[in-house]
Amino acid sequence: MPELPEVEVTRRRIAPLLVDRSISALVTTRPSYFFLTPPARLRRALAGRRVLALDRHGKYLVARLDDGSRLVLHLGMTGQLFSSAATSPRLLRASARAVLAPEAQLAFVPDEHTHLRIAFTDGGPEVWMRDARKFGKVLWLPPGARHERLDRLGIDALEVSGERLFTASRGRTVAVKSLLLDQAVLAGVGNIYADEALFGAGVRPTRRAGRLTRAECERIAAALRRVLTRSIETGGSSISDYLAPDGRDGAYQDERRVYARAGEACYACGAPLRRVVLGARSSHYCPRCQR
Ligand SMILES: [Zn+2]
């Protein structure tokens, strides 16, 4: 599933294709749960609008439009946002890229999973959103409108401080791992980065959040910012179906220290890593390095 780093990588790559361009038309698939705003309304609302900026809050991308309205996109599990001029996100894995001729690399044509196609008045490349499993979401917010999906998000995980985390954890009886995954506390932290940050901070995922010390909260916040920033730099994590918008694979998965490594030796101390299930999610940790 795309996590914060993948969404931020997507934002940085797609922003130049959206910002300062005027939308001429929208092509969508049929109405479905993918569209929180009905496609017909979406088409009417966006035609003629200019995109002022593309922001990110947690895992949501928010395009600000010139009439004060906003287009909100969520990539869900398998969502991909890319340029119609980009190499095929479906056909191109690193191995395929090496053997395909340049013209074949441009062979992607919109299929039944391409739910959104945004065309621009300048006639340049379109922006397409494709989602094979359709857990993604598209929402248009009129000027001034609010939405609970955005309102209930906590501070963006890239901006978290130890002090914020310490305050948020007071009185909480949940495990620290569950607290980190709570989007109302921290927006954008997913399973991989929560595990990696807790390893970096030397704190066990099962620790009761309310009992964390101020120093531990500082270490967790610093580790979170570090793993997220590092993952953004390497292009996101790219596991399973996720591919960057231009078809490139992310590289962060090579740097994971504990996630999905249960039973393998800790890189720091050699102890076998453990896996524990918390709130229906797997957590991975080192019994020696994490207290
Ligand atoms: Zn260890």
Side-chain angles (χ1 to χ4, degrees):
M1 170 188 298
E3 295 203 26
L4 185 152
E6 289 81 8
V7 179
E8 176 62 17
V9 167
T10 298
R11 188 193 70 77
R12 293 179 185 183
R13 289 180 181 163
I14 288 298
L17 285 162
L18 279 175
V19 177
D20 282 335
R21 296 180 79 193
S22 293
I23 297 169
S24 58
L26 217 65
V27 175
T28 67
T29 48
R30 285 178 295 129
S32 71
Y33 54 83
F34 180 81
F35 296 101
L36 296 180
T37 301
R41 179 144 194 245
L42 209 54
R43 290 195 293 267
R44 280 198 307 275
L46 293 185
R49 296 275 64 84
R50 197 164 62 87
V51 181
L52 300 182
L54 183 64
D55 303 325
R56 180 191 55 76
H57 194 169
K59 298 185 207 175
Y60 289 88
L61 290 171
V62 182
R64 282 192 276 127
L65 307 172
D66 60 352
D67 63 348
S69 69
R70 292 177 292 169
L71 176 67
V72 182
L73 304 172
H74 192 283
L75 298 177
M77 303 278 286
T78 54
Q80 299 164 312
L81 200 57
F82 54 98
S83 160
S84 62
T87 49
S88 160
R90 188 173 54 156
L91 297 176
L92 287 191
R93 302 253 165 205
S95 53
R97 211 175 308 133
V99 298
L100 283 180
E103 53 277 16
Q105 294 183 10
L106 292 170
F108 179 78
V109 288
D111 55 10
E112 75 272 27
H113 303 303
T114 311
H115 300 297
L116 205 60
R117 294 155 61 185
I118 305 174
F120 300 91
T121 54
D122 58 20
E126 300 183 0
V127 170
W128 292 348
M129 186 170 176
R130 182 174 184 275
D131 190 354
R133 294 180 65 184
K134 253 167 54 169
F135 288 115
K137 292 282 174 275
V138 176
L139 167 72
W140 177 74
L141 291 175
R146 307 177 67 87
H147 196 274
E148 56 159 25
R149 278 175 181 268
L150 294 175
D151 288 347
R152 71 180 176 214
L153 290 177
I155 186 172
D156 189 81
L158 267 185
E159 286 155 28
V160 69
S161 67
E163 192 57 40
R164 287 288 288 262
L165 200 55
F166 184 74
T167 306
S169 62
R170 293 311 88 186
R172 298 291 303 266
T173 56
V174 294
V176 58
K177 169 71 181 284
S178 303
L179 186 84
L180 297 184
L181 292 181
D182 183 348
Q183 299 296 302
V185 174
L186 277 180
V189 178
N191 216 22
I192 300 174
Y193 300 100
D195 279 5
E196 295 298 322
L198 287 171
F199 176 78
V203 174
R204 282 197 192 196
T206 49
R207 283 276 302 283
R208 194 165 158 162
R211 298 223 175 118
L212 293 172
T213 66
R214 201 176 286 265
E216 285 171 332
C217 288
E218 290 290 347
R219 293 210 306 272
I220 293 169
L224 265 177
R225 293 193 305 266
R226 195 166 62 237
V227 296
L228 291 170
T229 302
R230 177 64 191 150
S231 185
I232 290 166
E233 286 168 358
T234 56
S237 203
S238 183
I239 48 171
S240 71
D241 285 333
Y242 177 76
L243 283 180
D246 58 0
R248 279 188 281 160
D249 291 300
Y252 184 76
Q253 55 183 341
D254 301 330
E255 301 191 11
R256 283 186 258 144
R257 314 284 301 274
V258 288
Y259 184 80
R261 293 193 63 240
E264 296 176 39
C266 171
Y267 293 135
C269 74
L273 298 176
R274 285 186 194 162
R275 174 179 169 274
V276 63
V277 175
L278 284 167
R281 309 288 300 272
S282 286
S283 294
H284 312 80
Y285 68 98
C286 173
R288 210 179 286 166
C289 294
Q290 291 169 261
R291 298 285 164 187

